[in-house]
Amino acid sequence: MRLSLVVSLGATTFEAVAMREGFADLERVAALGFDGVELAVRDPAEVEGAALAERCAGLGLPVAALGTGQAYLHEGLSLTSPAAGIRRAASERLRQHIRLASMLNEVRGAPSSGVQVIVGLLRGQAAEAAAGAAGREQAEGRLREALEAVLAEADAGEVGLAIEPINRYETDFLNTAAECVAVIERIGHRRLGLVADTFHMNIEEVSIEAGLRAAAPHLRHVHVADSNRRPPGQGHLDFRSILSALRDAGYDGYLSAETLPLPTSEDAARLTVSHLRPMLAEVEERRRIS
Ligand code: LER
Ligand code: MN
């Protein structure tokens, strides 16, 4: 498993991002000891993909994943909106994320299943369709339709699309790992997988470790933050146990820190590395000798 840090390429109101100066942060991320970076991108049309890939390659900093939630937060794009025009715009935006991910796939060290494009808040809210189970069913149908062209693009670009279970206070659609696994299995596309986020799982799962084990066959990427969304080690999650569960389940992708910039951006990054690096070494060593 390798460590990455979430960096926003532009200004954002989303709080759980340790660094938000984009291009200018990349050198800092590499210097702080991360193996890769995850980029939060509102609109890929505003990103010079070739220059970004060149910069990351020059720093030896592969791109693990692209976050897309800012397109929802700042522009209201939603893959499950009752308005067909908004769904189309969200789907088209996600295809642009896929195209950018495909360019960044060229940077050495990309995940084995390709740079992962995350479907987080961009999934929208099921209650916009209807209340309760009927709304969730309708939202799933719309999601499936909106993802069709996106998944074809992911196939062509050899990158992944990964759905993230998000806690109930942020969305009413796909809160648990089991709900996401069920949708992923019903859609059944080889480019479609799951992103686990320890912050959300701490709220929604009976057991974080059991949730990770159940999701393991589809697991493509992991967000790490502690119980209070501060850096790992600054809350009460047991990361030694979480990393062991991931290792035992055969996960060998990135652990991407999506944390509040507390106490400062740089401290959040340092605390993540100092807490997780020794644990990762320990977990790998235990695995090697067992
Ligand atoms: C995104 O990765 C996330 O975790 C959400 O809380 C917001 O999109
Ligand atoms: Mn997340």
Side-chain angles (χ1 to χ4, degrees), residues 14 69 118 120-121 164 166 170 197 200 223 229 258:
F14 183 59
I118 298 170
L121 291 172
E164 178 175 13
I166 289 182
E170 296 182 50
D197 182 323
H200 297 305
H223 281 159
R229 229 171 192 180
E258 182 182 53

Side-chain angles (χ1 to χ4, degrees), residues 6 14 16 38 67-70 72-73 118-123 164-167 170 195 197 199-200 223 229 258:
V6 178
F14 183 59
E38 172 178 329
T68 63
Q70 291 179 17
Y72 172 83
L73 279 175
I118 298 170
V119 177
L121 291 172
L122 196 61
R123 64 161 61 58
E164 178 175 13
I166 289 182
N167 80 74
E170 296 182 50
V195 183
D197 182 323
F199 170 74
H200 297 305
H223 281 159
R229 229 171 192 180
E258 182 182 53

Side-chain angles (χ1 to χ4, degrees), residues 198 224-226 230-235 239 257 259 268 271-276:
T198 56
V224 286
D226 218 314
R230 284 176 175 248
Q234 303 303 301
F239 276 95
T259 79
L271 287 165
T272 298
V273 173
S274 65
H275 193 65
L276 295 184

Side-chain angles (χ1 to χ4, degrees), residues 62-290:
V63 178
L66 292 184
T68 63
Q70 291 179 17
Y72 172 83
L73 279 175
H74 300 289
E75 296 178 61
L77 299 189
S78 157
L79 294 164
T80 60
S81 167
I86 293 180
R87 293 201 299 277
R88 258 198 312 277
S91 176
E92 177 47 41
R93 179 65 61 85
L94 200 49
R95 288 173 71 183
Q96 291 182 31
H97 282 95
I98 293 279
R99 287 181 213 122
L100 177 59
S102 184
M103 294 181 82
L104 298 169
N105 228 11
E106 303 304 317
V107 181
R108 205 187 148 107
S112 53
S113 44
V115 174
Q116 298 296 304
V117 175
I118 298 170
V119 177
L121 291 172
L122 196 61
R123 64 161 61 58
Q125 308 282 337
E128 279 193 25
R136 289 194 293 276
E137 197 176 317
Q138 209 170 333
E140 183 177 332
R142 287 173 173 163
L143 179 69
R144 193 179 183 130
E145 196 182 300
L147 292 187
E148 214 168 284
V150 179
L151 285 165
E153 191 93 38
D155 238 347
E158 300 185 344
V159 296
L161 187 73
I163 303 180
E164 178 175 13
I166 289 182
N167 80 74
R168 69 191 70 186
Y169 305 108
E170 296 182 50
T171 181
D172 59 356
F173 182 42
L174 304 177
N175 303 125
T176 65
E179 286 167 338
C180 285
V181 165
V183 168
I184 290 164
E185 291 185 348
R186 282 195 285 271
I187 294 178
H189 192 287
R190 68 192 183 115
R191 293 283 167 189
L192 186 63
L194 186 143
V195 183
D197 182 323
T198 56
F199 170 74
H200 297 305
M201 293 185 85
N202 179 54
I203 296 170
E204 295 294 342
E205 305 294 329
V206 174
S207 147
I208 296 178
E209 291 82 353
L212 291 170
R213 276 191 289 275
H218 302 286
L219 195 56
R220 303 282 182 272
H221 190 62
V222 175
H223 281 159
V224 286
D226 218 314
S227 48
N228 44 15
R229 229 171 192 180
R230 284 176 175 248
Q234 303 303 301
H236 50 76
L237 294 192
D238 181 352
F239 276 95
R240 189 169 278 105
S241 169
I242 290 169
L243 298 191
S244 297
L246 284 167
R247 188 71 202 85
D248 293 346
Y251 180 72
D252 73 346
Y254 281 90
L255 301 174
S256 203
E258 182 182 53
T259 79
L260 297 168
L262 296 173
T264 68
S265 286
E266 196 134 327
D267 289 337
R270 278 189 215 289
L271 287 165
T272 298
V273 173
S274 65
H275 193 65
L276 295 184
R277 218 24 121 197
M279 275 183 200
L280 272 176
E282 199 183 293
V283 165
E284 305 278 359
E285 176 63 11
R286 225 180 320 119
R287 174 91 177 167
R288 201 182 59 77
I289 58 178
S290 68

